[in-house]
Amino acid sequence: MFNLILFGPPGSGKGTQSDSIVEKYGLVHLSTGNLLREEIAQKTPLGLEAKSFMDKGQLVPDEVVIGMVDSYFDKHKDAKGFLFDGFPRTVAQAVALDNLLDLKKTSINTVLALDVSEEELVKRLLNRGKTSGRSDDTNEEVIRKRFAVYSKETTPVAKHYKAENKFISIKGEGAVEEIFESISGEVDKLI
Ligand code: ADP
């Protein structure tokens, strides 16, 4: 299996790049944000619980997210690899992911981190908010809160993978195609 984490703050382009990556390399896309929004759309108990956190820019509790990832694995038993997008977002999630992959006799091959300045990120998110229907993208206060949470809870995840020499930074500003070429260049070296 080839397992890739696309890492980076809200608005860094993970979703956009994920579409091209899964198409080119035949990986299964696992976006916890998308899975949570599906739960919300279907008004499941999990979705209702998650919504209250997401609307405030807070993280959904680890056990909820990890449970969701576990059942996604069950549904994709013959995947030739996964692209993780928006997960893991805490060190506890990273440890849980390592353990779940261990059970499948596989592991994370690499973490590609999209590097974008905060001013550019706010601009992109407010812009996305105009068309995406995502309420967490229309309020600048919620956006700033997500950055604060990212810096406190999610940056330590980078350290976790740096310690294993699996962390690569990629310039996340510029043309979408250019960024995809940088990503492909790194993946091609490893796959
Ligand atoms: P963005 O990267 O723009 O924040 P996502 O779709 O990845 O968009 O996430 C939207 C929201 O969903 C987050 O702000 C958070 O509340 C929740 N969420 C998504 N993934 C996770 C996760 N792995 N752990 C906890 N909460 C999550």
Side-chain angles (χ1 to χ4, degrees):
M1 284 179 91
F2 186 82
N3 301 300
L4 176 68
I5 295 175
L6 195 55
F7 192 76
S12 54
K14 301 186 296 292
T16 306
Q17 296 296 336
S18 288
D19 293 341
S20 312
I21 298 169
V22 295
E23 195 187 329
K24 176 160 184 188
Y25 297 102
L27 305 175
V28 172
H29 186 196
L30 196 167
S31 158
T32 44
N34 288 351
L35 292 177
L36 289 166
R37 281 184 289 276
E38 275 164 31
E39 297 278 345
I40 292 174
Q42 288 165 17
K43 299 194 165 60
T44 65
L46 191 157
L48 292 178
E49 188 194 351
K51 189 176 185 331
S52 62
F53 293 97
M54 291 166 77
D55 284 348
K56 286 185 264 181
Q58 295 170 354
L59 292 183
V60 174
D62 285 335
E63 57 278 15
V64 174
V65 175
I66 293 162
M68 210 172 60
V69 169
D70 196 11
S71 56
Y72 197 77
F73 280 159
D74 282 344
K75 286 187 210 134
H76 295 88
K77 282 199 176 9
D78 42 12
K80 66 176 211 182
F82 288 92
L83 170 67
F84 299 97
D85 158 10
F87 177 85
R89 251 177 161 93
T90 63
V91 171
Q93 291 180 16
V95 171
L97 177 60
D98 289 345
N99 292 336
L100 286 174
L101 292 176
D102 223 31
L103 290 174
K104 295 169 83 68
K105 306 258 178 288
T106 183
S107 61
I108 291 297
N109 293 76
T110 194
V111 179
L112 299 180
L114 295 173
D115 201 12
V116 180
S117 73
E118 183 161 331
E119 281 328 294
E120 168 73 14
L121 293 171
V122 175
K123 249 195 276 167
R124 287 187 189 178
L125 290 173
L126 288 171
N127 236 342
R128 181 167 85 185
K130 287 182 200 155
T131 53
S132 68
R134 277 181 58 171
S135 55
D136 59 346
D137 283 344
T138 46
N139 181 329
E140 187 158 344
E141 213 173 298
V142 173
I143 290 174
R144 297 275 176 202
K145 171 72 185 169
R146 277 151 67 204
F147 289 140
V149 169
Y150 181 82
S151 143
K152 183 162 180 274
E153 307 278 344
T154 308
T155 341
V157 174
K159 219 168 149 193
H160 178 86
Y161 292 105
K162 277 179 189 164
E164 296 179 14
N165 271 324
K166 289 182 176 172
F167 192 89
I168 300 171
S169 268
I170 298 221
K171 185 166 159 260
E173 291 186 43
V176 170
E177 299 77 21
E178 242 169 57
I179 300 165
F180 180 60
E181 279 194 15
S182 311
I183 293 174
S184 294
E186 294 299 338
V187 175
D188 290 341
K189 282 187 225 162
L190 295 162
I191 211 157

